[in-house]
Amino acid sequence: MPTEDSDAHHGHGSISADIAVVGAGLAGLVAAATAYAAGKSVVVLDQEPEASVGGQAHWSFGGLFMVDTPEQRRLGVRDSADLALSDWLASAAFDRPADVQARAWAEAYVHFAAGEKRSWLKSLGVGIFPLVQWAERGGYGPQGHGNTVPRFHVTWGTGPALVEPFLAKVQEGVAAGRVRMCFRHKAGSLTTTAGKVTGVSGQVLEPSTAVRGQASSRVAVADFEVNAGAVVVTTGGIGGNHALVRRQWPGGNAPAEMLSGVPASVDGEFLPAVAAAGGSLINGDRMWHYPEGIHNYDPVWPKHGIRILPGPSALWLDATGSQLPAPLFPGFDSLGALRHILSTNHGYSWFVLNRTIALKELALSGSEQNPDLTGKDVRLLASRLKPGSDSPIQRFIERGEDFIQAASVRKLAAGMNHLAENQLIDAGSLEALVQARDRQVSSGLGKDPQLAAIRSARRFATDKLMRVAPPHRLSDPAHGPLIAIRLSVLTRKSLGGLQTDLRSRVLGGDGKAVPGLYAAGEAAGFGGGGIHGYRALEGTFLGGCLFSGRAAGRDAAARV
């Protein structure tokens, strides 16, 4: 892809365009593609090398929250916009005066997800895997957090396939001479003229050969200036900046050790510059980090972690070996589980399961961990269902530092203590817990709410086929060996950000739009400064980038 001409690397480069987009992730590409399609000239700035275009979306599983789709209906799922909005608002629990815009975004987004979202993506060539997944199941009653029905639609081709049509449109603009992609351009401040944002300035960084996701240098070789009729900020969140995550952690009880679910470039460093130009930055304490992180045995970025996407059958224990209370079963309430785990004053927890459950129920988040879906390889996908296949989760079981295998519960407990370098797991107590759980299975009925949840999940076709193992005794040698997985906190998403109206215009502290300034994607809390409130229903981050990026590109183009 042609990039910005080299004279900006040797002095004070000056660039002009109708619209400047800061950030070349999904939201930025959508905004740029939309503005270009509307006939505007666009410059896209990004501090990373060209290899990282597409940002976090490239690494994603490609999950999309959609409502009342043909995929759902074919699986017997009855959904509606009203039901989805009820679930969203129950999960978001909006309770601040500043949430007015966020709630408006939530309502608009749910109707988008129930309306044109699927047909719009289909028109762009984006396909959807037919087996809808059920994330964030909740369990707190009909008015509590969680998805009442499965809504997690996986992009056929995962994250890269979702990025592709917007990147292709931007590349078309580059070829036409109306879009300029300026990589290694680190934005530092916004330019304001007569109360209106009219550009961006910053530093040109030295060339970098870092591959996608690798940390790149921050050595500056020149300055640059961009003059534009409007600026769209799509710089993402703060998940790669652990110091900032800790400062904003609600209650101040962030764990001492965390893994990163995003590259180091997700640093949040440009957001204060937007605030300095008058933008209102809100809800910084609302974040979406996962309790089910594992170390990547082949890391790309610092502290590179992978999230396990679990089915409901594993026993989930805190660091001391106590089972998490109902309904904190795997896959039911990420934030609730995270809060409970941290309340024990330990930053990690455990899944205890066996090989049958691991190979049936555990998936790994991310495009690189799902080569079958990412590569649109039907044969490889079918092999997931075959016992003994060389799947990504099998490779982690064999190579990952967080996995322990043992023939007995007592040996498993010893391995857990050795890995954690303490003696918090009592072998006798763990054995008693597994035996009690197995007696519930053997009864055929039982009083265990987790087993009831497992049996209920298997009523749904996707879960029965590929996500939930039939209930069986954990200690049955036929399903062994036993496996324990140490789970760490994994940083991922900011739920707060720059407050925006439904046109993606950034609002100031007085509630009025800052002229010439827009924000989209994670930098805007995916819309309104926090479209999710306190909790996400999953599949809503990529969709929030699409929805808010398109709104920003449309409105900026209409007013320049």
Side-chain angles (χ1 to χ4, degrees):
M1 179 192 301
T3 58
E4 172 56 27
D5 48 86
S6 60
D7 61 355
H9 292 265
H10 297 96
H12 292 267
S14 182
I15 306 166
S16 295
D18 293 325
I19 296 166
V21 178
V22 187
L26 179 60
L29 293 176
V30 173
T34 302
Y36 159 69
K40 303 302 177 182
S41 63
V42 183
V43 58
V44 181
L45 310 168
D46 198 282
Q47 65 186 2
E48 295 307 300
E50 183 179 344
S52 288
V53 68
Q56 296 177 61
H58 175 90
W59 297 101
S60 75
F61 194 36
L64 295 168
F65 176 96
M66 290 194 285
V67 179
D68 192 23
T69 63
E71 289 78 17
Q72 287 175 301
R73 292 192 290 272
R74 281 194 289 268
L75 293 168
V77 175
R78 294 188 292 272
D79 200 4
S80 69
D82 286 345
L83 180 60
L85 182 59
S86 175
D87 285 348
W88 191 295
L89 296 179
S91 299
F94 295 122
D95 61 357
R96 297 172 178 173
D99 286 335
V100 171
Q101 292 292 340
R103 180 174 177 132
W105 271 94
E107 293 174 356
Y109 178 72
V110 168
H111 285 94
F112 168 67
E116 65 170 314
K117 182 178 182 180
R118 184 181 179 279
S119 60
W120 175 53
L121 291 174
K122 185 177 180 181
S123 74
L124 297 173
V126 176
I128 301 297
F129 184 60
L131 297 178
V132 184
Q133 309 286 311
W134 198 345
E136 289 294 299
R137 300 168 192 244
Y140 298 96
Q143 294 181 307
H145 163 69
N147 285 294
T148 300
V149 298
R151 299 188 175 108
F152 190 86
H153 297 67
V154 178
T155 303
W156 184 232
T158 66
L162 193 59
V163 170
E164 194 279 329
F166 303 103
L167 179 58
K169 192 68 176 178
V170 168
Q171 289 173 327
E172 176 191 308
V174 171
R178 298 215 326 262
V179 176
R180 302 171 81 169
M181 298 293 289
C182 298
F183 298 104
R184 303 299 285 158
H185 280 57
K186 180 178 173 60
S189 62
L190 294 170
T191 304
T192 303
T193 305
K196 181 179 185 295
V197 173
T198 55
V200 188
S201 63
Q203 295 180 316
V204 180
L205 305 179
E206 67 178 356
S208 172
T209 58
V211 301
R212 182 183 296 277
Q214 281 186 337
S216 61
S217 79
R218 291 293 178 262
V219 175
V221 296
D223 299 321
F224 75 86
E225 295 177 354
V226 173
N227 300 307
V231 176
V232 182
V233 177
T234 62
T235 51
I238 66 172
N241 186 339
H242 286 198
L244 187 52
V245 168
R246 288 191 172 91
R247 285 202 298 272
Q248 296 187 181
W249 197 281
N253 68 329
E257 297 293 331
M258 296 184 289
L259 299 178
S260 287
V262 295
S265 57
V266 186
D267 54 29
E269 290 185 0
F270 190 63
L271 294 177
V274 185
S280 179
L281 194 58
I282 63 173
N283 297 325
D285 61 325
R286 294 178 181 171
M287 296 179 278
W288 191 251
H289 305 310
Y290 292 112
E292 313 106 326
I294 56 174
H295 293 79
N296 190 346
Y297 65 81
D298 186 19
V300 178
W301 55 78
K303 298 182 181 293
H304 188 173
I306 301 292
R307 186 203 174 195
I308 288 180
L309 303 173
S313 298
L315 290 175
W316 199 345
L317 313 180
D318 65 26
T320 69
S322 297
Q323 187 175 10
L324 272 60
L328 301 181
F329 312 129
F332 278 64
D333 178 8
S334 295
L335 186 60
L338 178 61
R339 287 175 174 168
H340 180 85
I341 290 163
L342 295 184
S343 73
T344 68
N345 295 318
H346 297 281
Y348 68 96
S349 60
W350 299 96
F351 281 162
V352 171
L353 61 167
N354 57 32
R355 182 178 178 83
T356 294
I357 294 172
L359 296 183
K360 177 81 170 183
E361 297 195 3
L362 300 187
L364 299 169
S365 181
S367 57
E368 79 280 20
Q369 302 301 332
N370 293 275
D372 46 2
L373 292 166
T374 301
K376 303 180 182 180
D377 189 327
V378 176
R379 288 186 178 181
L380 187 59
L381 179 65
S383 72
R384 278 196 191 208
L385 306 180
K386 297 178 181 178
S389 63
D390 182 26
S391 65
I393 192 65
Q394 173 62 39
R395 290 194 288 274
F396 266 86
I397 291 172
E398 299 298 334
R399 305 179 196 174
E401 66 181 82
D402 299 297
F403 290 76
I404 301 162
Q405 301 183 71
S408 70
V409 175
R410 288 186 172 271
K411 289 182 179 178
L412 191 71
M416 294 163 73
N417 286 331
H418 178 75
L419 180 61
E421 297 182 334
N422 57 42
Q423 295 297 315
L424 293 177
I425 304 298
D426 180 77
S429 297
L430 180 58
E431 190 170 49
L433 175 61
V434 170
Q435 289 174 349
R437 188 262 187 200
D438 285 355
R439 281 195 295 269
Q440 292 291 303
V441 173
S442 298
S443 75
L445 294 172
K447 60 185 179 182
D448 185 347
Q450 184 172 9
L451 287 175
I454 294 167
R455 292 178 177 123
S456 177
R458 283 181 56 81
R459 294 169 53 201
F460 175 51
T462 299
D463 282 346
K464 186 172 184 178
L465 177 64
M466 61 182 296
R467 293 294 286 141
V468 184
H472 60 273
R473 291 185 300 114
L474 278 180
S475 58
D476 185 343
H479 296 281
L482 290 166
I483 296 173
I485 309 172
R486 180 183 59 185
L487 306 171
S488 301
V489 175
L490 181 76
T491 64
R492 186 60 67 87
K493 294 296 181 186
S494 308
L495 298 187
L498 294 162
Q499 190 175 34
T500 58
D501 63 13
L502 285 175
R503 291 156 57 182
S504 283
R505 300 182 302 174
V506 174
L507 304 181
D510 58 1
K512 297 180 180 179
V514 179
L517 184 58
Y518 296 80
E522 192 172 354
F526 303 95
I531 190 173
H532 298 93
Y534 290 94
R535 277 182 167 95
L537 289 176
E538 292 290 14
T540 55
F541 301 126
L542 295 172
C545 291
L546 297 172
F547 191 50
S548 61
R550 188 179 70 164
R554 282 178 172 177
D555 200 76
R559 281 157 180 77
V560 171

